Amino acid sequence: MQILGIDVGGTGIKTAIVETTTGELLTERTRVATPRPATPQAVGMTLKEVINEHNWSGPVGIGFPAAIQHGIARTAANIDKSFIGLPIANFFSEQTGCPVYMANDADAAGLAEMRFGAGKNNPGVVLIITIGTGLGTALFSDGHLLPNTELGHVFLSNGVEAERYASEAVRVTKDLKWKDWGERFNLYLTTMESLLWPDLIVLGGGVSDKLHKFSPMITTKAPVVAASFLNQAGIVGAALFAEEQLKRRNASPDPAR
Ligand code: BGC
């Protein structure tokens, strides 16, 4: 099935048409800036433009940087607070004129990695962490997702919230050397390990292709690998999520996306 996959981030919105049976991008990935302020109206307008640019009128899967419970946004760490409580899937469907299916961005990236990437055929507990403006997490057990884990917001032993200490945004803003940022990120990884005991940790987002620069600082027992899709996992996973929802809906029609 072909689905338009969109990954909405704190700074950029990435899009491509995805073949869901293989996870391949059928078009070149496009990127536009996330509007500021990222209000529902402004993001909706940008999504409409992006969808039009792709001449698309079919189903759209969107990974979004918030907990999304049955189509309703529950959090808004790096986006406008007015998203909280918004039936966001319906809102964007109306604004864009396309059927829109929404998942948390890290959960979407995780779906792609588990189906086609670094977590494929991996039984046990797999933790996917996306590193960008925030820290996103997706947790799988025997291939099943526990949605909306939001573990980038745990407080570390130094009293600082993880995504305010070890995100890519923090590395860039503070101009940290890879070694220094790697030590920060390792505190996050070891904290996650002591709470969840994953069998495998997969890193996605902008820094996933730089893993070699900070891997010497990592001390977890679980192996830590880069996402196979690097920072395209969110686009692919958003399309996979939409496909899953479409199949479910066809099997038993239910208004909650
Ligand atoms: C948000 C998460 C999101 C992560 C990565 C966090 O600030 O709370 O929902 O997955 O950023 O974008």
Side-chain angles (χ1 to χ4, degrees):
M1 190 185 279
Q2 294 185 4
I3 293 185
L4 190 71
I6 303 183
D7 185 14
V8 175
T11 51
I13 297 179
K14 292 171 271 173
T15 309
I17 297 174
V18 178
E19 173 52 61
T20 55
T21 50
T22 59
E24 261 174 292
L25 301 192
L26 298 177
T27 55
E28 210 154 287
R29 187 197 77 157
T30 63
R31 186 184 188 280
V32 296
T34 306
R36 294 224 167 246
T39 59
Q41 204 72 27
V43 175
M45 296 262 287
T46 307
L47 289 174
K48 193 177 164 70
E49 284 165 22
V50 165
I51 291 169
N52 287 346
E53 265 168 33
H54 285 77
N55 290 321
W56 189 257
S57 56
V60 178
I62 301 181
F64 199 77
I68 308 286
Q69 191 180 33
H70 311 303
I72 298 171
R74 296 297 186 195
T75 62
N78 293 306
I79 44 166
D80 200 80
K81 301 291 173 239
S82 55
F83 273 105
I84 296 175
L86 185 75
I88 188 171
N90 287 343
F91 180 83
F92 286 152
S93 295
E94 274 162 29
Q95 276 213 321
T96 63
C98 291
V100 168
Y101 300 87
M102 310 266 317
N104 169 261
D105 55 354
D107 284 352
L111 288 174
E113 289 299 323
M114 294 306 288
R115 176 95 59 96
F116 298 116
K120 192 177 163 193
N121 300 329
N122 221 294
V125 175
V126 181
L127 174 65
I128 284 121
I129 302 174
T130 62
I131 310 161
T133 312
L135 286 178
T137 56
L139 189 62
F140 291 81
S141 175
D142 287 338
H144 296 288
L145 171 69
L146 174 67
N148 294 316
T149 43
E150 293 291 321
L151 295 170
H153 298 291
V154 295
F155 282 78
L156 301 172
S157 56
N158 58 13
V160 185
E161 191 181 2
E163 78 169 25
R164 297 191 183 275
Y165 186 66
S167 67
E168 167 69 350
V170 169
R171 188 187 69 79
V172 172
T173 317
K174 293 198 176 298
D175 196 16
L176 295 174
K177 296 207 167 64
W178 282 108
K179 181 181 173 292
D180 298 332
W181 180 81
E183 278 166 7
R184 286 177 174 233
F185 190 67
N186 185 51
L187 174 61
Y188 178 57
L189 286 180
T190 50
T191 305
M192 286 295 100
E193 179 159 69
S194 67
L195 296 172
L196 303 167
W197 296 105
D199 298 297
L200 173 69
I201 300 173
V202 179
L203 304 183
V207 306
S208 42
D209 59 346
K210 303 285 188 320
L211 178 56
H212 60 282
K213 297 198 182 208
F214 59 93
S215 57
M217 268 58 80
I218 295 177
T219 61
T220 54
K221 291 185 178 53
V224 176
V225 299
S228 311
F229 286 98
L230 299 175
N231 66 355
Q232 293 185 357
I235 300 175
V236 176
L240 296 180
F241 176 79
E243 183 196 39
E244 229 172 60
Q245 296 298 304
L246 274 164
K247 282 186 181 159
R248 234 182 246 183
R249 177 162 292 210
N250 291 342
S252 72
D254 169 0
R257 283 190 184 113

